[in-house]
Amino acid sequence: YISLNPNIPIVEMDTVEGIKGGKVLLTLIFRSCKLMLAFILEDKTANSVLKVFNYLENLLGNELFKKTFPIILTDNGSEFSNPLSLEFNNDGTSRTRLFFCDPNASYQKGTIEKNHEFIRYIIPKGKSMDQYTQDDINCMINHINSVARDSLNGSSPFDLATLLIDNMVLEALNLEKIDPDNILLKPYLI
């Protein structure tokens, strides 16, 4: 599909756990600009992931959702075990195309795996996420997306996103750039 559509944007998707059985983060990253989104989930289930997809489609509308997330690449975790419910909304209307990495090939979605390191600066591995709200996660994501990267020629993911992603998406998701002098990637941020 990608070889037939070489210019189609790819979004990688994964989850980040705190402690087993607690809240988790659903993360999405746009390969083109490394802008990351994160949503707090009550649990690591297919139903919780579906709620985020439904929320995003309701917020953006079907056409903007399809334009923003045309292809999503993820692993075969149990939270992604109902691909048709993610690809099609309740009315049966297509909203994205979901593809899975090969087994044991997380390097196929290496952009998101690498970017999770930023989350771990703020929420160390093994720390519960149960106390966090979506506002806390939005704050964290705004700081992460504002960090200038050598791989982006000194630009931040947010800077590039303003050029590559519909600004209505950035506004709807309350994404904003943090001044470089105010960026904080420490646990006491949230």
Side-chain angles (χ1 to χ4, degrees), residues 46-58:
N47 190 52
S48 289
V49 173
L50 177 59
K51 285 179 184 178
V52 171
F53 272 59
N54 290 339
Y55 163 76
L56 288 171
E57 186 182 15
N58 287 335

Side-chain angles (χ1 to χ4, degrees), residues 99-113:
F99 292 90
F100 293 97
C101 296
D102 293 323
N104 302 311
S106 60
Y107 62 87
Q108 292 176 343
K109 57 180 184 62
T111 305
I112 202 163
E113 297 290 347

Side-chain angles (χ1 to χ4, degrees), residues 39 49-66 68-69 85-96 173:
F39 301 92
V49 173
L50 177 59
K51 285 179 184 178
V52 171
F53 272 59
N54 290 339
Y55 163 76
L56 288 171
E57 186 182 15
N58 287 335
L59 183 69
L60 304 175
N62 180 264
E63 286 305 311
L64 186 53
F65 185 98
K66 283 170 50 170
T68 306
F69 306 100
S85 72
L86 301 178
E87 288 185 328
F88 298 92
N89 65 20
N90 291 336
D91 298 331
T93 304
S94 173
R95 59 181 165 193
T96 189
L173 295 174

Side-chain angles (χ1 to χ4, degrees), residues 2-163:
I2 294 169
S3 63
L4 295 175
N5 301 279
N7 296 321
I8 198 161
I10 298 172
V11 178
E12 297 176 13
M13 180 170 67
D14 203 358
T15 53
V16 177
E17 285 186 279
I19 58 170
K20 290 279 185 203
K23 289 183 179 180
V24 300
L25 294 179
L26 174 69
T27 56
L28 297 127
I29 194 165
F30 298 89
R31 278 188 180 172
S32 61
C33 60
K34 297 186 181 176
L35 184 86
M36 186 165 57
L37 307 177
F39 301 92
I40 194 86
L41 304 180
E42 289 298 316
D43 52 32
K44 191 176 175 179
T45 63
N47 190 52
S48 289
V49 173
L50 177 59
K51 285 179 184 178
V52 171
F53 272 59
N54 290 339
Y55 163 76
L56 288 171
E57 186 182 15
N58 287 335
L59 183 69
L60 304 175
N62 180 264
E63 286 305 311
L64 186 53
F65 185 98
K66 283 170 50 170
K67 178 183 168 191
T68 306
F69 306 100
I71 290 182
I72 298 176
L73 177 65
T74 192
D75 58 40
N76 60 356
S78 61
E79 68 272 31
F80 308 123
S81 63
N82 191 352
L84 291 178
S85 72
L86 301 178
E87 288 185 328
F88 298 92
N89 65 20
N90 291 336
D91 298 331
T93 304
S94 173
R95 59 181 165 193
T96 189
R97 296 199 57 153
L98 194 69
F99 292 90
F100 293 97
C101 296
D102 293 323
N104 302 311
S106 60
Y107 62 87
Q108 292 176 343
K109 57 180 184 62
T111 305
I112 202 163
E113 297 290 347
K114 178 71 174 157
N115 219 55
H116 284 168
E117 291 177 11
F118 287 104
I119 292 173
R120 292 304 186 191
Y121 295 151
I122 301 164
I123 305 173
K125 191 171 184 137
K127 182 178 182 202
S128 173
M129 295 186 197
D130 291 352
Q131 71 273 22
Y132 298 128
T133 66
Q134 187 61 47
D135 286 340
D136 294 327
I137 301 308
N138 290 346
C139 175
M140 175 184 71
I141 287 301
N142 283 331
H143 282 256
I144 291 171
N145 286 330
S146 297
V147 173
R149 317 275 171 90
D150 290 340
S151 63
L152 299 176
N153 200 25
S155 295
S156 72
F158 187 85
D159 293 333
L160 292 180
T162 61
L163 301 172

